[in-house]
Amino acid sequence: MGLTVLLLTSLFWHGQCQTVAGLDSSGANVSHTPYLYIGDGTAQEFLFPGKKQGILVIASHYANPMGPSYRPTLSVASLDPAVLTIENVTDTSRAGQQGSSYVVSIRSGVSGMAPLLVQLLGGQQDSGQPILIEERRDFRIKVAPDEDAVPMGSGGLGHFSENPVLYVLLPLIFVNKCAFGCKVEEEVLRGLLRQPQPVLLGIVSQFAVMPLYAYVLSLLFSLDKPLALGLVMTCSSPGGGGGYLYSLLLGGDVTLAICMTLLSTVAATGLMPLSSAIYSRLLGVHETLHVPFLKILVTLLFIAIPISTGLLVKCHLPRVSRGLLLLIKPFSFMLIVGGLFMAYQMGAFILADVRPSIVLAGISVPLFGLVLGYALARCCGLVLPHRRTVSIEVGVQNSLLALAVLQLSFQRAEADFASQAPFIVALSSTSEMLVIVVVHLVYKRMFPSP
């Protein structure tokens, strides 16, 4: 990896000759023109390529009252290590030089914005702590995506939005969702209006408890900000489209599962962006990542609209509705095959440098959701089929929706890094549910009900 020198090219101009707090020559706190500057001192934000090593030159015109032999030291820290790391700081000042100059060695990671904490430190206080001469937090390094990096073995299809299979599957997804809408029973919907406990349990669990669980996991495992945001967005997703199939195999209520998926998806158009906004601020991601609320809304509407369309088709065009119902099984099979194909292509690259912490967090998410949904449903006195359905709808979230939102919304490197969370949750959810289905079927065969 070659050494890249950070060109002092300003992206934004945030005011020349800012006033900051510091020390004058007598050691008193005063406001003054900043001592520390980069380049000509008129810029605070700089562009740097991704996945590179380079240097940043910071100068100071602070005149030490103790004389030129007592030079201050410079401390530099990146507030987002996933985007930029500081390797070392070297004092390059020459003897007799007015002021000081420092060379900061940096290494960029994923694309994004990395604020810097730059401190100019003088002699020690009586307590042994260095004296803070000046502190600046307005310098930022914007790391651009590494467009030259092409995933090996991906054939150029590593990025979700560039995969032609995606555009083949989109019409199938739309038609399949319309068919699901045709399976919704109006009587069940009316019953849910009278007794909405299953739906309310699902919405509260999916959009309140699950995101909170993801946030706690991100703190416990000290996940990087993009990974933490990806995990929160995954746990803020509505119930997955495959929930009805698991409900069928595990003795749940299929119609209730479809209705819960429909209503939770409609609710997600507002609650998922709200959850993302709240937790992105708690995680501090709002300083370095832009959460694309409009794109999240468009992606969710793509799921909610066809299901609602299918319901209208069933009410007004029963012949067309019967035709759509015949397409559910073959279209679902094609979507599964297409999804597995895309997962194979994306997984090798996205999970190439996966860390054990996010794997453990991802494995626990579906299990926690299944237990949470069943426990809440039992506490509310729901019948056994409804308990199982609520449990499945909470535990099997639409991880692929979060994956699509991240891949379609962020820069390549940043999106692939953040997408580890929904990808692992999706793989864990599928694997765990298949194990549960196999155990359930074996148990029924060994101990058939009378």
Side-chain angles (χ1 to χ4, degrees):
M1 182 182 296
L3 184 69
T4 301
V5 178
L6 178 61
L7 298 179
L8 302 178
T9 303
S10 173
L11 296 177
F12 299 97
W13 163 231
H14 287 282
Q16 194 169 359
C17 296
Q18 295 184 351
T19 300
V20 299
L23 301 177
D24 64 6
S25 57
S26 64
N29 288 314
V30 296
S31 295
H32 62 86
T33 301
Y35 295 130
L36 298 169
Y37 59 95
I38 300 175
D40 61 2
T42 62
Q44 285 79 47
E45 187 169 310
F46 306 92
L47 182 65
F48 193 74
K51 307 292 185 181
K52 298 292 183 182
Q53 184 180 12
I55 61 173
L56 174 67
V57 180
I58 300 179
S60 167
H61 59 75
Y62 173 72
N64 197 318
M66 301 296 293
S69 59
Y70 295 90
R71 291 195 175 277
T73 59
L74 187 73
S75 171
V76 183
S78 169
L79 299 184
D80 195 339
V83 177
L84 190 80
T85 56
I86 307 299
E87 297 189 326
N88 59 69
V89 179
T90 304
D91 188 344
T92 59
S93 306
R94 299 186 303 273
Q97 174 183 334
Q98 293 294 327
S100 307
S101 59
Y102 306 88
V103 173
V104 183
S105 296
I106 60 177
R107 184 183 297 273
S108 58
V110 300
S111 61
M113 187 74 72
L116 299 180
L117 173 61
V118 184
Q119 294 178 322
L120 188 64
L121 305 173
Q124 294 184 344
Q125 304 176 15
D126 294 338
S127 61
Q129 297 296 323
I131 299 174
L132 177 63
I133 300 173
E134 181 175 274
E135 178 180 291
R136 295 197 63 170
R137 293 174 177 264
D138 53 340
F139 291 133
R140 297 174 301 279
I141 306 297
K142 182 176 183 179
V143 176
D146 183 16
E147 296 296 342
D148 296 332
V150 179
M152 295 183 63
S154 68
L157 301 178
H159 197 240
F160 191 86
S161 61
E162 296 173 0
N163 198 321
V165 179
L166 173 65
Y167 298 100
V168 175
L169 295 181
L170 286 178
L172 298 183
I173 295 173
F174 188 89
V175 175
N176 210 35
K177 290 294 182 183
C178 286
F180 290 156
C182 294
K183 287 186 68 69
V184 175
E185 298 291 338
E186 293 185 45
E187 287 299 323
V188 176
L189 287 177
R190 293 193 184 98
L192 290 175
L193 291 175
R194 293 191 297 269
Q195 296 180 330
Q197 292 95 327
V199 175
L200 294 178
L201 284 177
I203 291 177
V204 170
S205 301
Q206 290 165 342
F207 302 111
V209 182
M210 292 301 291
L212 178 60
Y213 177 70
Y215 175 68
V216 172
L217 283 179
S218 69
L219 297 180
L220 289 177
F221 289 105
S222 301
L223 298 180
D224 292 327
K225 291 180 181 180
L227 277 180
L229 179 63
L231 188 63
V232 168
M233 293 182 72
T234 303
C235 291
S236 302
S237 300
Y244 82 97
L245 177 60
Y246 297 125
S247 292
L248 176 65
L249 295 174
L250 296 174
D253 190 318
V254 178
T255 304
L256 175 60
I258 295 174
C259 293
M260 288 186 66
T261 300
L262 167 66
L263 295 175
S264 67
T265 303
V266 172
T269 58
L271 294 179
M272 189 176 177
L274 177 62
S275 176
S276 300
I278 293 173
Y279 287 100
S280 63
R281 284 198 165 272
L282 291 177
L283 292 166
V285 182
H286 64 286
E287 294 181 355
T288 55
L289 294 178
H290 169 65
V291 181
F293 300 115
L294 180 59
K295 289 186 179 180
I296 292 175
L297 181 63
V298 171
T299 304
L300 290 167
L301 288 177
F302 180 76
I303 296 175
I305 289 175
I307 295 179
S308 304
T309 302
L311 183 59
L312 293 176
V313 168
K314 179 181 179 181
C315 295
H316 302 287
L317 300 170
R319 186 172 298 179
V320 177
S321 174
R322 288 192 292 270
L324 286 174
L325 291 175
L326 296 176
L327 298 176
I328 287 182
K329 289 185 178 180
F331 274 30
S332 296
F333 176 76
M334 286 186 283
L335 288 172
I336 291 173
V337 172
L340 290 175
F341 177 74
M342 294 181 64
Y344 171 77
Q345 287 192 317
M346 295 179 62
F349 175 64
I350 291 178
L351 303 181
D353 300 318
V354 68
R355 301 172 186 175
S357 57
I358 188 60
V359 174
L360 292 175
I363 291 174
S364 73
V365 167
L367 295 174
F368 177 79
L370 290 171
V371 174
L372 172 68
Y374 192 89
L376 291 178
R378 184 171 182 176
C379 291
C380 291
L382 300 184
V383 296
L384 182 59
H386 286 187
R387 290 184 215 163
R388 292 176 175 175
T389 302
V390 172
S391 173
I392 292 168
E393 285 296 306
V394 176
V396 184
Q397 292 182 289
N398 196 343
S399 302
L400 294 180
L401 172 60
L403 181 66
V405 168
L406 293 169
Q407 287 286 333
L408 291 171
S409 302
F410 299 117
Q411 299 286 356
R412 179 191 298 266
E414 188 176 78
D416 289 339
F417 183 57
S419 295
Q420 289 182 2
F423 201 88
I424 291 173
V425 171
L427 292 178
S428 302
S429 176
T430 302
S431 303
E432 292 164 10
M433 290 306 301
L434 287 178
V435 171
I436 293 173
V437 168
V438 170
V439 171
H440 176 75
L441 295 178
V442 170
Y443 181 83
K444 286 185 63 178
R445 181 171 291 254
M446 293 179 62
F447 306 99
S449 57

